[in-house]
Amino acid sequence: MTRMNEPRVLRSASALSAWRANLRPLPASTRAPLALVPTMGALHEGHLSLIKIARAHAHSVLVSVFVNPTQFNDASDFEQYPRDESRDIELALSAGADAVFIPTPDVVYPEGAQTRVRVGALSETLCGATRPGHFEGVCTVVLALFQLTRCDVAVFGAKDYQQLTVIKRMTRDLHLPVEVIGAPTLREPDGLAMSSRNLRLSDESRDDASSIYRALCAARSLWHAGERDVEALKLSARDQLSDQVDIDYLEVCDADSLELRSGVLASDPSNSLVIAIACFLGEVRLIDNLLLSSP
Ligand code: AMP
């Protein structure tokens, strides 16, 4: 069944406002009126799990599908990003979304738009260091989507740990009336974090990609066994990675400030730590992370 022209597929700001104005009246419930699940499409089970979490927090759920040009610092990555609109609509609505917002770039960025949102230090380590301008693009589009949709709740995956942290900070710093909820990472049976980019992996690279999760788990096990030397933790992760995995970064950082850690850590650190990796398999860039400890 194709749902391309159905009324729950919204492509313009006016269609979105009209839909928003007709949201079902709220029953006596503690749930917020509207939750947004922002995505770049090529939906998978990870995205669908966000929709289910959104439904538990809000009366209506809107999924946005927008491959945001301003967050790509590599033109060919943008062009090759997987797109399958009709499948996305079908999956989002079947998973419980009430509508899907699929704007064109001119809907999100009005002609002549020149405003950008930049979060400071949090967006300068990890992916911020190796993808200049990435988080500026992310924050700008997320703020625009918050404004367009006037959502009360927004759900983001912890798979993109730095993105979740940066958006929470932007929301707090700018007093945005949106509750940002973090959702756990869904994984394939071999541990690979689900990602739209996995579709671009060759069969061989797909096998190699399973070593990413093994690498993070090795560091986490060593951490739990008492190892506090960051280099030793990173080495244990690197040892597990397939030779075909080209590391962009592999870092241990503070889970709140995202400051990189080095040397020997306190045996009982007061803050949580995260081990985060970005790497290339061929041309495909994948990221993943695991929490090492909670205070
Ligand atoms: P994307 O379409 O990749 O921009 O992702 C849209 C949202 O889905 C983001 O909040 C991601 O963090 C989240 N997401 C992506 N992959 C997963 C996953 N494997 N598990 C849970 N959430 C995910």
Side-chain angles (χ1 to χ4, degrees):
M1 176 180 35
T2 173
R3 307 213 208 195
M4 302 284 278
N5 296 317
E6 81 144 82
R8 293 189 296 166
V9 178
L10 315 167
R11 296 181 187 278
S12 63
S14 56
L16 179 60
S17 303
W19 177 80
R20 183 82 176 74
N22 285 316
L23 283 185
R24 284 173 284 152
L26 284 180
S29 127
T30 53
R31 287 184 299 167
L34 179 62
L36 173 68
V37 179
T39 80
M40 296 204 300
L43 300 186
H44 51 68
E45 288 292 328
H47 295 116
L48 305 186
S49 72
L50 267 48
I51 296 173
K52 294 193 177 78
I53 290 170
R55 179 137 302 296
H57 284 85
H59 196 56
S60 298
V61 176
L62 178 65
V63 172
S64 62
V65 175
F66 181 60
V67 185
N68 173 34
T70 66
Q71 73 187 67
F72 286 82
N73 52 334
D74 174 348
S76 89
D77 189 24
F78 173 67
E79 273 146 32
Q80 291 180 44
Y81 199 85
R83 291 164 172 89
D84 190 343
E85 195 180 278
S86 51
R87 181 176 169 278
D88 287 343
I89 294 167
E90 189 69 44
L91 280 177
L93 295 179
S94 311
D98 294 287
V100 189
F101 179 43
I102 312 183
T104 44
D106 59 307
V107 172
V108 177
Y109 299 109
E111 166 99 49
Q114 48 181 276
T115 303
R116 289 284 186 271
V117 183
R118 190 177 64 80
V119 171
L122 280 181
S123 58
E124 281 158 18
T125 58
L126 305 175
C127 289
T130 63
R131 298 183 74 189
H134 171 67
F135 287 112
E136 201 171 292
V138 168
C139 289
T140 304
V141 78
V142 169
L143 180 56
L145 290 171
F146 282 3
Q147 295 298 98
L148 280 161
T149 62
R150 287 183 288 124
C151 60
D152 307 285
V153 170
V155 186
F156 293 87
K159 207 262 298 179
D160 299 272
Y161 187 83
Q162 188 173 19
Q163 171 174 281
L164 173 62
T165 309
V166 165
I167 288 169
K168 278 186 173 165
R169 182 62 63 101
M170 171 185 79
T171 304
R172 192 201 76 165
D173 289 355
L174 298 180
H175 315 281
L176 304 178
V178 179
E179 183 190 359
V180 174
I181 294 172
T185 302
L186 250 72
R187 299 182 178 280
E188 301 289 353
D190 65 357
L192 176 65
M194 290 180 183
S195 164
S196 306
R197 289 194 159 93
N198 294 351
L199 289 171
R200 292 180 53 208
L201 295 171
S202 65
D203 289 349
E204 203 187 353
S205 292
R206 173 63 189 80
D207 286 344
D208 294 323
S210 63
S211 69
I212 300 170
Y213 183 60
R214 278 203 303 280
L216 297 179
C217 289
R220 184 177 58 181
S221 300
L222 203 57
W223 167 270
H224 286 310
E227 180 61 74
R228 294 294 178 263
D229 181 345
V230 170
E231 274 317 309
L233 294 169
K234 289 194 207 173
L235 195 61
S236 70
R238 269 196 221 106
D239 278 351
Q240 293 296 320
L241 283 175
S242 152
D243 292 343
Q244 304 306 311
V245 173
D246 183 9
I247 299 176
D248 185 19
Y249 65 74
L250 172 65
E251 301 286 3
V252 171
C253 64
D254 183 282
D256 297 321
S257 70
L258 304 185
E259 279 167 23
L260 305 189
R261 292 284 176 252
S262 59
V264 179
L265 302 164
S267 67
D268 191 11
S270 51
N271 284 336
S272 300
L273 296 166
V274 170
I275 181 161
I277 185 169
C279 56
F280 287 91
L281 280 138
E283 290 188 340
V284 183
R285 186 175 183 277
L286 299 178
I287 60 173
D288 201 353
N289 68 83
L290 278 184
L291 271 181
L292 289 183
S293 64
S294 313

